[in-house]
């Protein structure tokens, strides 16, 4: 039997649904595939949510020296700053939330963990604590000194990557430069091979403006920025179709021509993807030196502690992390 792959799962915002969704991972029989799931979070918090939701399982402390048990979930205990109540945000626990990410990242970089999966965090309460934070993607990029990462969501038969992430709409055009767009496309193209197993991906690239600028009448970004970048990269052999009008890019006939869509801004791409896959979509951060997947939803404070939150997205995120880790392991063995 080969080496067991350890997947770290961060439980996210303690007042949200993350902790109880993580407990539902007991329903996933992953050990049969040589995988071990480790929950990162406060042991008492997880025990309390366990009692609230009525789930019947046992929590045990993570110890890599002892074999896992089918009847237990393993917890790498990290203490809360203050006790947390389901549905009630507390800025005092924001350093704890980021500490979960730091510990999972540290384990991935060192080789202790093969991948990390993240439950949702609440950007607002982290900023309320005086900690500038725009999202997991940007945070992990900074922590790993990665110059360019790409957010890609997958689900419902779609893969949608973003040229810009969490920006105000008025800031998007200035952020799409020839240099930044080329870098995003290069990362996306390479990572589709490394992490998705598609060596020569076909990428559908959206325009920025309505009707892809309509020949410059509705904007010139397609003519002056997007089009020239695509043409230059096509000369290298990349399969890039666009710039395409975003309002028709998600039709079945157009999607059949590509393996992935590149949208210019957050809602341009993710509205269609979440319509197609909400509850079962995932987020994958491309370009990092580690494997990171995530749920595609927020903290759902109103559902916290009820046991009614749907674990589908977390299940898919874990399955995708396992698949990517296995692919990375196989590649390393061949190298």
């Amino acid at each position: 039997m080969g080496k067991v792959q350890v997947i770290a799962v961060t439980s996210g915002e303690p007042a949200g649904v993350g902790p109880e969704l993580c407990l539902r991972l007991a329903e996933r029989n992953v050990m049969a595939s040589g995988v071990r799931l480790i929950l990162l979070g406060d042991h008492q918090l997880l025990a309390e949510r366990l009692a609230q939701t009525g789930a019947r399982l046992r929590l045990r402390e993570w110890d890599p020296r002892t074999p896992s048990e089918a009847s237990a979930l393993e917890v790498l205990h990290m203490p809360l700053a203050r006790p947390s109540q389901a549905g009630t945000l507390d800025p005092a626990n924001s350093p704890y939330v980021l500490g979960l990410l730091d510990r999972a990242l540290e384990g991935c970089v060192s080789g202790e963990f093969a991948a990390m999966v993240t439950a949702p965090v609440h950007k607002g309460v982290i900023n309320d604590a005086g900690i500038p934070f725009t999202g997991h993607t940007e945070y992990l990029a900074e922590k790993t000194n990665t110059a360019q990462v790409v957010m890609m969501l997958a689900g419902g038969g779609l893969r949608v990557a973003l040229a810009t992430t969490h920006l105000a709409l008025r800031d998007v055009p200035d952020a799409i430069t020839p240099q930044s767009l080329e870098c995003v496309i290069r990362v996306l193209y390479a990572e589709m091979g490394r992490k998705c197993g598609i060596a020569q991906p076909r990428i559908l690239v959206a325009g920025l403006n309505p009707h892809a600028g309509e020949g410059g009448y509705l904007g010139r970004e397609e003519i002056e920025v997007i089009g020239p970048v695509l043409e230059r990269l096509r000369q290298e052999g990349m399969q890039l179709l666009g710039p395409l009008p975003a309002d028709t890019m998600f039709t079945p006939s157009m999607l059949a021509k590509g393996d992935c869509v590149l949208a210019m801004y957050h809602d341009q791409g993710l509205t269609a993807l979440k319509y197609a896959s909400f509850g079962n979509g995932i987020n994958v951060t491309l370009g990092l030196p580690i494997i990171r997947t995530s749920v595609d939803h927020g903290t759902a404070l109103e559902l916290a502690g009820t046991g009614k939150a749907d674990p589908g997205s977390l299940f898919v995120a874990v399955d995708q992390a396992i698949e990517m880790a296995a692919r990375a392991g196989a590649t390393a063995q061949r190298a």
Side-chain angles (χ1 to χ4, degrees):
M1 182 176 176
K3 179 183 177 182
V4 172
Q5 301 270 33
V6 180
I7 309 294
V9 183
T10 63
S11 52
E13 166 55 48
V17 295
E20 62 208 73
L21 290 179
C22 288
L23 294 172
R24 296 286 299 275
L25 290 171
E27 301 169 18
R28 310 298 277 176
N29 181 21
V30 297
M31 273 306 294
S33 58
V35 174
R36 198 165 178 175
L37 298 181
I38 310 301
L39 305 188
L40 275 63
D42 183 281
H43 195 287
Q44 182 61 35
L45 168 72
L46 292 166
E48 289 171 1
R49 288 296 178 87
L50 195 58
Q52 285 176 329
T53 55
R56 295 185 178 181
L57 61 99
R58 188 166 60 85
L59 303 177
R60 54 168 271 189
E61 293 298 324
W62 154 242
D63 185 346
R65 299 166 299 181
T66 60
S68 61
E69 302 174 31
S71 61
L73 275 175
E74 298 181 277
V75 178
L76 196 165
H77 173 64
M78 298 186 67
L80 284 162
R82 282 207 295 239
S84 178
Q85 180 179 344
T88 303
L89 296 169
D90 185 348
N93 283 322
S94 293
Y96 157 83
V97 172
L98 297 183
L100 300 179
L101 299 180
D102 292 342
R103 178 63 181 87
L105 178 59
E106 174 190 321
C108 287
V109 171
S110 71
E112 178 185 11
F113 306 139
M116 63 186 285
V117 179
T118 56
V121 300
H122 194 286
K123 300 180 185 70
V125 76
I126 295 174
N127 282 279
D128 287 345
I131 305 170
F133 183 84
T134 55
H136 280 106
T137 302
E138 298 85 352
Y139 184 81
L140 295 172
E142 181 179 353
K143 286 288 183 176
T144 57
N145 295 312
T146 304
Q148 181 67 61
V149 293
V150 176
M151 178 188 292
M152 184 178 77
L153 274 79
L158 304 177
R159 296 184 187 90
V160 179
L162 302 178
T164 62
T165 54
H166 300 112
L167 287 180
L169 194 55
R170 69 173 64 246
D171 297 328
V172 169
D174 290 341
I176 300 173
T177 66
Q179 294 77 19
S180 69
L181 183 59
E182 179 176 336
C183 195
V184 165
I185 293 173
R186 289 190 183 280
V187 170
L188 176 58
Y189 198 87
E191 290 280 78
M192 286 287 289
R194 283 193 290 263
K195 291 181 177 170
C196 300
I198 303 173
Q200 294 182 309
R202 302 166 299 158
I203 301 174
L204 309 180
V205 182
L208 173 65
N209 297 294
H211 304 290
E214 200 155 302
Y217 179 72
L218 296 176
R220 297 193 58 81
E221 284 83 3
E222 290 77 12
I223 295 171
E224 297 175 356
V225 179
I226 303 172
V229 169
L230 299 187
E231 185 55 36
R232 185 163 61 251
L233 295 178
R234 288 189 196 107
Q235 306 260 334
E236 299 180 13
M238 292 190 189
Q239 301 182 73
L240 307 170
L241 185 61
L244 302 169
D247 61 345
T248 56
M249 187 171 58
F250 289 97
T251 58
S253 60
M254 185 59 69
L255 290 172
K257 299 177 182 179
D259 300 300
C260 178
V261 168
L262 176 62
M264 291 297 109
Y265 57 92
H266 189 279
D267 287 13
Q268 184 190 55
L270 300 194
T271 300
L273 182 130
K274 291 193 176 186
Y275 175 78
S277 68
F278 195 76
N280 289 288
I282 64 164
N283 185 349
V284 181
T285 306
L286 304 178
L288 292 173
I290 64 161
I291 295 168
R292 179 256 172 169
T293 66
S294 179
V295 297
D296 72 343
H297 58 74
T299 52
L301 298 172
E302 70 282 1
L303 292 178
T306 67
K308 296 179 180 179
D310 185 350
S313 181
L314 183 63
F315 288 177
V316 176
V318 167
D319 291 345
Q320 190 64 56
I322 292 170
E323 182 181 325
M324 289 181 175
R327 185 176 293 117
T331 300
Q333 286 181 350
R334 290 195 299 268

